[in-house]
Amino acid sequence: MSPNNSYWRANLRLMAFCLTIWFLVSFVCGILLVDVLNQYRLGGYKLGFWFAQQGSIYVFVVLIFFYAWRMNAIDRKYNVHED
Amino acid sequence: MDLQTLTYIFVFGTFGLYFAIAWWARASSTSEFYVAGKGVHPILNGMATGADWMSAASFISMAGLIAFLGYGGSVFLMGWTGGYVLLAMLLAPYLRKHGKFTVPEFIGDRYYSQTARIVAVVCLIIASLTYVIGQMKGIGVAFGRFLEVDYAIGLFIGMGVVWVYAVLGGMKGITYTQIAQYCVMIFAYTVPAVFISLQLTGSPFPQIGLGSKMVGTDMYLLDKLDLIVTDLGFKEYTTAKLGSMLNMFAYTMSLMIGTAGLPHVIMRFFTVPSVKAARSSAGWALVFIALLYTVAPAVGAMARLNLHHTIEPAPGENLVYAERPQWFKNWEKTGLLKFEDKNGDGKIQYVADKEKNEMVKVDRDIMVLANPEIANLPNWVIALVAAGGLAAALSTAAGLLLAISSSISHDLMKGVFVKGISERGELLASRIVMTLSILLAGYLGLNPPGFAAGTVALAFGLAAASIFPALMMGIFSKNIGSKAAVAGMVAGMGITLLYVFQHHGIMFIKGTEFMMGMPKNWFLGIDPKAFGVVGAIVNFAVAYAVSKVTGPAPDHIQRMVENFRVPAGAGAAADH
């Protein structure tokens, strides 16, 4: 297998991990399980409502930086980084 | 100082700033004109992307939508932010590595086909033009309400301002102006929100205030709001759904992939110096967007609370119409707020029951604009909101106009019809096309076509159903060739247009709906605005099926895909 191929697989693995979290916080916590989570509270927020209107957005921001940080490491590991 | 003078100072002060920046950042090459010389720092590009992205709709309408939809409004919050995660991981780094100027150019290269490129140009122009009409209207309305000038004159001033910095500076001028516009916009949005959050909950952070207790009581703000609205017969604020759960799911997904597929957003990532910078810049863009988007739900909920509180300070003690506050009278004059004394008691009843409700019109758009007045904030805050709304509309309009003019001058003229055009010629052509686009957008703003109201939804639907899948398959699959891609785009776009036109009429012309006996939202209860994701699925499926027949893309294209999947070797940054 060429090094570029294993680089691409490492990228896809990381991406799958990040997108799973992306899906969990928005579609699962914010929509599909919202009624269940609304039984719990975060201060004055019902938890499902909080995920839909606040929490998912914070997680999105963290996810992108996490992806960028891990990808930089993967770029270097497979020696495909920019100069 | 009176409000009028203050507003003039703020608005023309910010215009002066934009002009100064435009003069400093004027473009001298096509690379500067289309992609700002690919030398914009990722944080600054993130800020410009934020301004480019957050339109008059985000600034003025979104909080109002949330105020009246409650939990259902979450689809906009998640949909318009979650798209950046997709953009950062699935598109931006690879498109940047490929290193061209426009989105159709990438599609044309990857699918080795002028047809694919032209289909992409058509999608781009429809999506961007429909979007820009909304911005032009926003500019006209903001001038009309705050400076009390005629709608048309407001529109001409706005067109003039955009013309100066967009035509002079191209992407470079637009980028640096957008950075200034972002600062104006975010300041104008958060200052009133902080004041109102302090008044209601004592917390200076609206994001925390929304989850806090009301000042002087032991009751959480959201619980209080739930109680008030359910007493009046409205749906409970924190649980009211937008249609079915499936509809909310599809709506959110459509907005996310639509966001990731909108060309004027994608092309912002062509301006950064490297692949690494493209990834982090998407993160910064979302930071700057999140600053507004996490405040918006607080603005919405608090505005709703204040509105009900003004009309009915305590249960049964309704506001006497003759004693209504000044802001109420101001907005009545614009026709966006209407009262009708149905039971003749001289007091205002605002309830869910249509028979008894006397607030016959409460336009959602006034929530952000009237918010500072409802909360009795000082005049300079109101003037600031006017400048902020204009910054939001101008920055988005400029980005869209650049997307349109670059696709015409670069993709159609240089790419297809006048291949031998010189760089100077192309630069001149793009400036002329930009001027014509501004005139066309202004004309459409003055004479909005009947379909203007539904158009932004259409832009998202088209981007989601045609551009996003084409780009994603181009990067992640080597098997999709030109025929498969074109078939997919046409099928995705076709099915989306069909469903939308079926509900809202062909080209949104009233009377041409063709439901053919099918109930509204017949497809699984999905709203036409939420249909982009279905179009995208059709696009993927058709492209996959056709690729099984036509076979994989040729070898040189497969090598090209392998090349843009790795960061090494991206073009060096141009210094400026």
Side-chain angles (χ1 to χ4, degrees):
Chain A
M1 196 187 282
S2 75
N4 275 2
N5 240 324
S6 27
Y7 165 77
W8 187 244
R9 274 161 194 276
N11 178 14
L12 292 181
R13 265 198 306 277
L14 176 63
M15 206 180 281
F17 172 76
C18 291
L19 290 179
T20 307
I21 295 179
W22 162 82
F23 188 80
L24 280 177
V25 293
S26 51
F27 293 97
V28 176
C29 296
I31 298 176
L32 299 176
L33 293 182
V34 71
D35 295 326
V36 181
L37 290 177
N38 275 346
Q39 295 165 8
Y40 306 94
R41 283 192 162 246
L42 193 72
Y45 285 110
K46 291 184 173 120
L47 190 57
F49 178 84
W50 180 80
F51 266 108
Q53 300 213 335
Q54 298 277 312
S56 55
I57 302 176
Y58 299 132
V59 177
F60 293 157
V61 172
V62 174
L63 266 182
I64 298 181
F65 283 111
F66 173 77
Y67 174 78
W69 171 61
R70 292 309 310 151
M71 272 315 280
N72 290 341
I74 292 175
D75 287 352
R76 277 192 300 275
K77 183 176 163 195
Y78 291 92
N79 202 25
V80 292
H81 57 281
E82 297 145 296
D83 347 282
Chain B
M1 231 185 294
D2 72 323
L3 180 57
Q4 193 78 350
T5 322
L6 269 172
T7 311
Y8 272 103
I9 294 175
F10 274 63
V11 167
F12 288 98
T14 52
F15 284 3
L17 177 67
Y18 306 154
F19 287 150
I21 294 171
W23 180 251
W24 168 74
R26 57 199 185 280
S28 56
S29 68
T30 49
S31 171
E32 286 187 348
F33 194 86
Y34 293 134
V35 291
K38 301 192 183 183
V40 182
H41 188 276
I43 298 183
L44 294 180
N45 185 56
M47 213 179 256
T49 311
D52 201 326
W53 171 239
M54 292 189 286
S55 58
S58 289
F59 190 92
I60 297 171
S61 309
M62 192 175 61
L65 272 171
I66 298 167
F68 293 101
L69 293 173
Y71 162 71
S74 313
V75 299
F76 303 105
L77 292 165
M78 290 186 284
W80 285 337
T81 53
Y84 281 85
V85 178
L86 300 178
L87 201 54
M89 294 176 197
L90 304 178
L91 306 179
Y94 316 107
L95 295 180
R96 172 60 190 88
K97 170 66 198 297
H98 188 62
K100 294 296 177 67
F101 288 163
T102 70
V103 173
E105 190 174 19
F106 176 86
I107 290 180
D109 286 357
R110 165 61 184 82
Y111 296 117
Y112 47 97
S113 152
Q114 295 286 21
T115 318
R117 191 170 182 177
I118 292 170
V119 171
V121 169
V122 171
C123 295
L124 182 150
I125 290 177
I126 297 177
S128 304
L129 204 57
T130 50
Y131 217 107
V132 86
I133 299 171
Q135 309 312 314
M136 287 297 172
K137 281 175 70 187
I139 294 170
V141 170
F143 269 103
R145 169 62 187 85
F146 291 106
L147 300 175
E148 290 174 22
V149 296
D150 198 49
Y151 175 85
I153 294 174
L155 196 63
F156 291 139
I157 298 175
M159 284 164 65
V161 174
V162 174
W163 186 83
V164 169
Y165 71 77
V167 170
L168 195 65
M171 186 56 128
K172 195 175 163 196
I174 288 173
T175 303
Y176 290 102
T177 332
Q178 279 172 336
I179 292 166
Q181 284 162 336
Y182 176 80
C183 299
V184 172
M185 183 192 319
I186 198 68
F187 192 61
Y189 202 81
T190 37
V191 164
V194 167
F195 271 115
I196 293 170
S197 177
L198 275 171
Q199 279 178 353
L200 291 177
T201 67
S203 167
F205 302 102
Q207 295 93 334
I208 294 172
L210 183 58
S212 303
K213 288 175 179 159
M214 302 279 291
V215 166
T217 69
D218 206 27
M219 192 165 201
Y220 284 114
L221 185 140
L222 283 168
D223 291 339
K224 168 106 177 168
L225 183 56
D226 275 345
L227 194 70
I228 291 178
V229 296
T230 45
D231 273 354
L232 297 172
F234 297 100
K235 284 195 221 160
E236 190 178 56
Y237 188 84
T238 55
T239 56
K241 290 196 172 61
L242 189 64
S244 64
M245 196 174 268
L246 180 69
N247 184 55
M248 283 188 70
F249 190 98
Y251 213 137
T252 307
M253 191 63 97
S254 298
L255 293 180
M256 282 191 189
I257 59 182
T259 302
L262 279 174
H264 74 283
V265 178
I266 298 175
M267 62 191 246
R268 289 241 43 106
F269 295 93
F270 297 155
T271 66
V272 293
S274 65
V275 174
K276 195 174 151 189
R279 293 184 194 128
S280 69
S281 192
W284 285 111
L286 193 54
V287 167
F288 295 119
I289 292 167
L291 279 177
L292 192 145
Y293 273 55
T294 52
V295 169
V299 171
M302 290 172 187
R304 180 86 181 267
L305 196 66
N306 273 341
L307 180 68
H308 285 298
H309 185 77
T310 307
I311 290 172
E312 200 172 342
E317 287 176 30
N318 295 49
L319 180 71
V320 176
Y321 182 68
E323 292 168 13
R324 66 196 187 284
Q326 187 59 41
W327 63 264
F328 199 114
K329 293 176 193 162
N330 290 347
W331 286 102
E332 273 184 311
K333 267 186 262 167
T334 62
L336 297 175
L337 203 63
K338 260 189 213 136
F339 167 75
E340 208 182 287
D341 198 0
K342 289 180 181 162
N343 61 3
D345 67 351
K347 291 177 179 176
I348 305 172
Q349 272 88 26
Y350 182 28
V351 293
D353 185 348
K354 281 211 166 60
E355 299 291 307
K356 293 186 189 144
N357 179 34
E358 301 181 341
M359 293 296 293
V360 287
K361 177 151 190 190
V362 185
D363 193 282
R364 300 190 278 230
D365 284 357
I366 70 174
M367 295 314 273
V368 165
L369 300 178
N371 219 3
E373 296 171 276
I374 299 178
N376 285 318
L377 298 183
N379 275 349
W380 66 268
V381 178
I382 303 171
L384 191 61
V385 170
L390 284 168
L394 287 170
S395 57
T396 306
L400 290 162
L401 289 163
L402 185 72
I404 295 169
S405 70
S406 63
S407 72
I408 293 176
S409 61
H410 191 67
D411 291 306
L412 288 187
M413 290 178 62
K414 189 180 170 71
V416 180
F417 296 115
V418 205
K419 284 194 175 150
I421 194 168
S422 68
E423 174 159 339
R424 273 181 71 99
E426 192 188 344
L427 198 57
L428 180 64
S430 48
R431 286 187 160 128
I432 294 170
V433 173
M434 176 90 83
T435 307
L436 294 176
S437 315
I438 294 173
L439 290 175
L440 177 64
Y443 173 80
L444 292 173
L446 270 184
N447 307 289
F451 58 86
T455 48
V456 171
L458 186 65
F460 276 92
L462 288 181
S466 60
I467 300 173
F468 177 80
L471 292 174
M472 212 189 134
M473 288 185 293
I475 295 161
F476 288 88
S477 168
K478 293 180 196 165
N479 290 328
I480 307 293
S482 68
K483 289 197 181 66
V486 172
M489 279 198 277
V490 171
M493 185 162 68
I495 200 108
T496 308
L497 284 179
L498 183 76
Y499 195 71
V500 173
F501 288 168
Q502 208 191 347
H503 282 78
H504 297 301
I506 296 161
M507 288 323 288
F508 297 88
I509 295 163
K510 285 251 177 303
T512 58
E513 300 87 357
F514 50 104
M515 297 305 291
M516 298 180 294
M518 287 182 270
K520 211 173 152 237
N521 303 345
W522 59 271
F523 188 80
L524 302 172
I526 293 175
D527 188 275
K529 291 194 212 60
F531 202 72
V533 64
V534 182
I537 293 168
V538 170
N539 185 336
F540 282 122
V542 167
Y544 178 78
V546 173
S547 75
K548 286 285 143 197
V549 179
T550 56
D555 284 346
H556 71 282
I557 297 297
Q558 301 215 11
R559 276 196 299 281
M560 183 175 91
V561 174
E562 274 174 14
N563 182 279
F564 64 60
R565 281 179 180 180
V566 295
D575 187 45
H576 67 266

